[in-house]
Structure formats: structure tokens, C-alpha cells
Amino acid sequence: MTVDERQEWAVVRLVTVQKKNEMGRLLFATVTELSKGRPPPTTMSGLDCHRFNKSEERLFFRRTILSKEDAVNWYQSLGEGERATPVPTRKADGETWDGALIQVPRLEDVQPWPALGLPMTEELLSRPGHSSINPAPFIGSVPARLHRRFGDRAGLTGFIEETAAQAFVARRMHIDLSRYQEYLGSAVYIAPDPVVRQIDNFMVPAKDGRGERIVYRIVAHPGQNLQGVSITTFDKEADLLTSFKTHRVPASGILEVEKGVCTGEYGFVLTHDRHGVLAYQPPTGFVRQINLNVRATSRSSRNVSVPSGDSADSPRMEYKAAMGSELVSNSVLGEVLDHSASVRVATEARKREVLSDAERYGQHWFPENSRAEAAQLIRELLRAARFRVMIADPYLGDLQLGQFLYAVHGNEVNVTLLTTKLAFNPTASQTRLELLKGFKSSLATLSTYQLFAPQIRILSASKLHDRFLVVDNNVWFVGNSLNSLGERASMVVRLPNPNEVIERLQTLGATARSLDDYIQKLSRGGTRPAE
């Protein structure tokens, strides 16, 4: 066995950002420990560089191979101030830029070294499929444990604003730092499971007088054993936690747990006396039945070409039609035990989850002729505003100021109204200009009593169709304009990603005419305001 074969290795991936004539700064670094016995990967020649479009900053990426000992020492050496980039353990791998000084922010360790944690993509007792976004996408598909040292984003504004730079990092570090901004200026140590290579668990059907049972099969890495490994199993039956037991894993790695009937959901956590948590699985039910449908499709497909709009000169859009198919066979594999109580509990629990989600997102259905109820809800939402109100509605005019805006109070609330000329269509008794001046007069009265001065932006009618209500950091999608909400069947729902809508509305408002400018242009008559 050679020295390289006996050595334990780690891969350091490092991205730094550097302004012209300044020292580089840590953007993100990962130290990935390789499994024992795994040979080191090929070395990287040179640096990868990306130049920013809007500034003189550049990104530099370098992957280096270190012994595990050297990698741990470099990871622990990171701290506030000037620090050297890693130097490969094998001298032949080194290049001139290795060991260069970079600026590192103050790093905060969430857990003390060398305590490692397992990323949780699902809550321990959550329903399967109710997963959160992977908190550590850079580890890949193989489970691993982490230690994290969090820095800050100071001096990284240019990177946050440039998508090309983010894509450069994502391809090399396997993480989109625009979505995971907590890792900006940070470093992570990634360690594979040092003991267990594979975990299987399956149900054995009832037979020969024995009930159903769950078998856990745990396989150790070559050269490792299962001494000190425990598995804690927990059962959910009809939304009740019915079992929570810890078992020592035998040397064979095979553990059988008698259940009688496996109609619930079953999860586990695998731990080691010295290494801590190794693996976990949220409660999951076993597949008992599969419906298998076989359909035959036609060989030919059709391209559909239609106008993209109603106008005679609108461009055409094309797409491929779905191929027709017919059912050839339908079969059912497996059997489902008759446990009507469990099914009923699960069905009703799912109904409550759906209702809870609707309540969380403020979903309100207004039937026809519910104008008073709809107006009252909008006023309640506005009354809760503490620092921001934004209403985007192409038909928001004079009448809506009195119907809704007096529910907003306090000069600390910034109010912006985005509307269009559609709200001021001429009538038999008033011109558009007269309607606009009346709107301005009503705004002055509102400001006198409520102590805030709304900013009015007149958008082109072609730029705004949907209606939005922004209150602080929440955004509601409003089905109908405020001038008719509730007269016909309509809906209001709070959006799960408000930031995108707020940013888009602010951009629309920044490019639109102010009310005074719109009135001025219209008064001159010679210049037609933007619609």
C-alpha cells in the first residue's frame, strides 16, 4: 500500500471576490472529507475567473487537494483578518497563487468544533413530502454531516446583484448563493458517514402465525463495524405517536421489530456513541398497492400554430399537441388491509391541512353581492399597516380613496397607489382632466385628516392588469378591482413569495408618471400622456 492509499484526503473548494488593486475576500468555501480508502481526485490546473459586468470586481475559484489533517487545520485557522488560501499537501500539486492572503470576516460557529450535524430536508415527524428546501445542496446526493462557520455579506453587494456571477459559483460550488445568502462569506466542513454505508428498511408480510414486522438492514463501510450504533424507531398511527424506542444494532446489522400490522408511518434516527447522529428518516408508510395503467399512444404528433393575440397582425405561437392515447390494460398489484378508521383519520387530517393552508395564506372567497364583506376585509388589512401600503389597480380612482384609504393611519406609513387612465374615463358630465383634478383634491383632503401623502403613479393601461394589495411585507392578490370587489364572485389570497411582487411593483412605479406630471401633460393638450 502506497502513502497516498493510506492517507485520508479532503477537497477544498474556495471562491473569493476581489476588487482591482485590493486583497481578495472570502465568498464561500467548502472542505469535503473523502471516505477512508477513497483515492484523491485529479488536481485542478490554474484558476477559474469571472469578471463582473457592472464593476471591476472578479471572482476566483480554486479546488485544492489536502490531507484530512491539513484540511482540518486550514478550516479551523479561518478567522477575522488576513488568512492564507490552502496550500496542497502534495508539493507537485502547488501553484503560485496557493497560499495567497485573503480577507476573512468574523466567523460564527453555530455548533462547537468538532460537533457535526445532519442537514434536515424534512421535519422529523412531518408528513412525507412536506419537505423544506435542502439546507445544504452542496453536499450532493450522498448523506453527510456538517460543521458551519457563518460570516457576513459585507462587501458582496456586487455579487448579490449579478446573476452571471451567481451562475459561475453555482456550477463550481453546487449552490445558488442568491437563494442561500446565509452562506455568503462563510465556510463549511462536510464529513461523510464514517461508519455506515447503507441502510435498508422493509416490511415482511404476516405469515405462519407471525404478524407483520419491519426489518432494518444496516451495512458498515469496509473495515468498520457496528459497535456503538443505535437506532431509534418511532411510529405514527392515525396522527398519534404510538412508539418511540431505541435499539442497539447487532453486529450482523439485521434488526427485526415486530409490529403485528404495519398500517401507520414509520421513521428512525441512527446514532453512534462517538460520532453522534448518522442518519434519519421521517415517518413514511409502506407501499401496499400499486395501480398499473398501460396506455398506447399514436405515432404521429401535430404542431399547433395560432395567433398570440386578437389583433390581425399579432405574431403566431407554435407548440406540439399532446399525442392521443387509449387505455390498453389496468391492473392492481398488492392488497390493502381494511382499516377504515385509519383511512378516515388520515382523510380528515388532510382536509384540515388544506383548510389550515388556506387560512395561512388569507384565502377569502367572496360570492356574488358580498360587496360590504369584501370592502370590510380590505379595510381591516389596511388598518394593520405599520410602514408600507401599495395598491396596484388599473381602476383605482377617486371613489376608492374614501372607500378604503381612511383605514390607513399614521404619517410613518408610506402609501403608493398605482393606477391607470382607465380609472378616469370621461363621463357625460366630466372630462378626464376634471376627474383627475377631483382625484387630486380628494388626495389633499385625505392627507389633511390621515397625516400621510400618498404617492400616485399613472401606469400605461397595457402594463397593469392584475390587482395587488401590499401591506408591510405581505402581498394579497385581489381578483377584481377595488371598485367592484364582491359585486361578482371573486377571491383574495395572500401570496407565498411577496418580495418578488413588491420589487416588480416598485419597478413599475419608478418608470410611471406622477399624478402632477400626468395632469400637466394633459392640460397642455399638445402632448398626449402615456397611457
Side-chain angles (χ1 to χ4, degrees):
M1 182 179 291
T2 66
V3 174
D4 273 9
E5 290 173 334
R6 293 194 301 268
Q7 181 68 269
E8 292 185 71
W9 298 97
V11 177
V12 179
R13 290 179 173 84
L14 171 66
V15 176
T16 58
V17 60
Q18 184 172 358
K19 294 182 179 179
K20 190 174 182 179
N21 300 323
E22 293 185 13
M23 183 181 297
R25 185 196 189 283
L26 171 68
L27 180 72
F28 184 51
T30 62
V31 180
T32 304
E33 179 184 318
L34 302 183
S35 300
K36 185 177 290 187
R38 179 179 168 184
T42 57
T43 59
M44 176 183 177
S45 177
L47 293 167
D48 286 350
C49 178
H50 171 81
R51 294 181 181 274
F52 284 48
N53 293 324
K54 299 179 180 179
S55 70
E56 294 184 345
E57 293 176 291
R58 291 183 295 175
L59 291 176
F60 292 100
F61 168 78
R62 172 92 169 133
R63 177 175 57 82
T64 51
I65 312 300
L66 277 67
S67 68
K68 177 180 174 181
E69 180 182 1
D70 289 347
V72 169
N73 290 337
W74 181 79
Y75 178 76
Q76 289 184 282
S77 74
L78 291 175
E80 187 172 9
E82 297 179 4
R83 294 293 185 270
T85 61
V87 177
T89 299
R90 297 175 300 193
K91 291 184 178 179
D93 296 344
E95 299 198 26
T96 55
W97 33 71
D98 294 323
L101 292 179
I102 60 171
Q103 193 70 33
V104 177
R106 186 180 68 85
L107 299 178
E108 178 184 353
D109 293 10
V110 176
Q111 69 265 38
W113 177 265
L116 302 174
L118 194 70
M120 295 184 67
T121 57
E122 291 184 302
E123 294 300 324
L124 203 58
L125 295 176
S126 67
R127 181 180 297 274
H130 283 212
S131 60
S132 60
I133 294 176
N134 184 357
F138 42 78
I139 67 172
S141 58
V142 179
R145 298 166 305 138
L146 306 178
H147 183 275
R148 297 179 293 183
R149 310 192 67 190
F150 287 108
D152 60 60
R153 66 181 70 184
L156 301 177
T157 304
F159 173 80
I160 295 171
E161 295 175 348
E162 184 163 324
T163 56
Q166 295 157 13
F168 172 86
V169 173
R171 287 192 297 271
R172 291 156 178 82
M173 303 297 290
H174 315 297
I175 182 172
D176 181 356
L177 288 175
S178 66
R179 300 186 68 189
Y180 293 84
Q181 294 191 18
E182 69 270 26
Y183 285 110
L184 290 171
S186 303
V188 179
Y189 192 91
I190 306 166
D193 189 325
V195 178
V196 174
R197 177 171 63 89
Q198 181 178 340
I199 306 171
D200 300 317
N201 69 305
F202 51 89
M203 181 192 72
V204 177
K207 188 177 181 181
D208 299 331
R210 291 186 68 180
E212 294 180 339
R213 59 195 185 276
I214 300 176
V215 175
Y216 298 90
R217 177 176 175 265
I218 300 163
V219 181
H221 284 295
Q224 298 292 319
N225 60 59
L226 299 175
Q227 184 177 354
V229 178
S230 300
I231 186 169
T232 299
T233 62
F234 39 88
D235 306 350
K236 283 178 67 178
E237 308 277 355
D239 276 348
L240 298 179
L241 182 63
T242 56
S243 177
F244 197 94
K245 295 181 180 179
T246 299
H247 314 265
R248 275 291 183 182
V249 175
S252 65
I254 305 296
L255 176 69
E256 291 191 13
V257 181
E258 298 286 346
K259 291 298 176 185
V261 177
C262 295
T263 58
E265 299 171 356
Y266 307 93
F268 64 82
V269 176
L270 198 71
T271 58
H272 188 273
D273 289 346
R274 182 164 63 89
H275 298 293
V277 178
L278 300 179
Y280 84 99
Q281 175 184 290
T284 307
F286 292 103
V287 177
R288 290 182 169 274
Q289 188 178 85
I290 298 175
N291 296 323
L292 181 62
N293 294 330
V294 178
R295 305 185 70 89
T297 62
S298 60
R299 292 179 178 271
S300 60
S301 62
R302 178 170 176 252
N303 290 326
V304 179
S305 178
V306 293
S308 59
D310 293 329
S311 63
D313 59 347
S314 63
R316 302 187 71 81
M317 58 172 58
E318 295 185 357
Y319 66 96
K320 191 175 290 294
M323 291 188 292
S325 65
E326 60 178 323
L327 185 64
V328 175
S329 67
N330 183 12
S331 56
V332 178
L333 305 178
E335 297 180 356
V336 176
L337 299 179
D338 183 14
H339 284 273
S340 57
S342 296
V343 173
R344 188 167 65 251
V345 169
T347 300
E348 295 302 320
R350 180 57 186 153
K351 288 180 182 178
R352 290 192 295 273
E353 286 179 4
V354 171
L355 291 174
S356 177
D357 286 343
E359 183 177 351
R360 181 159 58 99
Y361 287 114
Q363 179 177 318
H364 291 272
W365 172 267
F366 298 113
E368 186 180 5
N369 298 322
S370 59
R371 174 67 175 162
E373 178 189 352
Q376 180 60 25
L377 173 67
I378 299 300
R379 285 193 290 265
E380 288 175 2
L381 296 176
L382 292 172
R383 191 169 284 115
R386 292 295 173 263
F387 63 87
R388 173 169 55 198
V389 164
M390 187 182 299
I391 302 176
D393 184 339
Y395 292 94
L396 192 150
D398 192 357
L399 184 57
Q400 284 67 61
L401 298 180
Q403 290 173 333
F404 301 104
L405 269 296
Y406 282 87
V408 181
H409 60 87
N411 59 1
E412 69 277 12
V413 181
N414 186 296
V415 179
T416 303
L417 307 179
L418 306 181
T419 185
T420 72
K421 73 167 190 175
L422 300 177
F424 309 99
N425 282 335
T427 66
S429 59
Q430 287 183 298
T431 64
R432 173 173 282 124
L433 183 58
E434 289 171 335
L435 289 169
L436 285 163
K437 289 181 176 179
F439 182 67
K440 183 175 180 180
S441 176
S442 296
L443 283 170
T445 303
L446 174 68
S447 300
T448 300
Y449 285 99
Q450 300 306 108
L451 304 180
F452 63 81
Q455 299 180 42
I456 311 300
R457 293 292 181 264
I458 311 294
L459 302 173
S460 166
S462 62
K463 289 186 177 181
L464 181 64
H465 178 273
D466 292 336
R467 292 81 171 171
F468 300 95
L469 172 63
V470 179
V471 177
D472 296 339
N473 290 324
N474 292 311
V475 178
W476 279 264
F477 179 84
V478 185
N480 285 343
S481 286
L482 295 183
N483 65 357
S484 61
L485 183 65
E487 291 180 1
R488 293 171 291 176
S490 56
M491 173 168 281
V492 172
V493 63
R494 187 162 59 87
L495 301 180
N497 181 16
N499 293 337
E500 178 187 7
V501 180
I502 292 172
E503 290 172 4
R504 302 274 185 179
L505 293 178
Q506 288 174 336
T507 300
L508 280 175
T511 58
R513 292 186 183 277
S514 68
L515 177 62
D516 286 340
D517 183 43
Y518 192 87
I519 290 175
Q520 241 180 15
K521 294 288 186 181
L522 197 62
S523 298
R524 286 201 290 266
T527 306
R528 184 182 180 187
E531 295 183 348

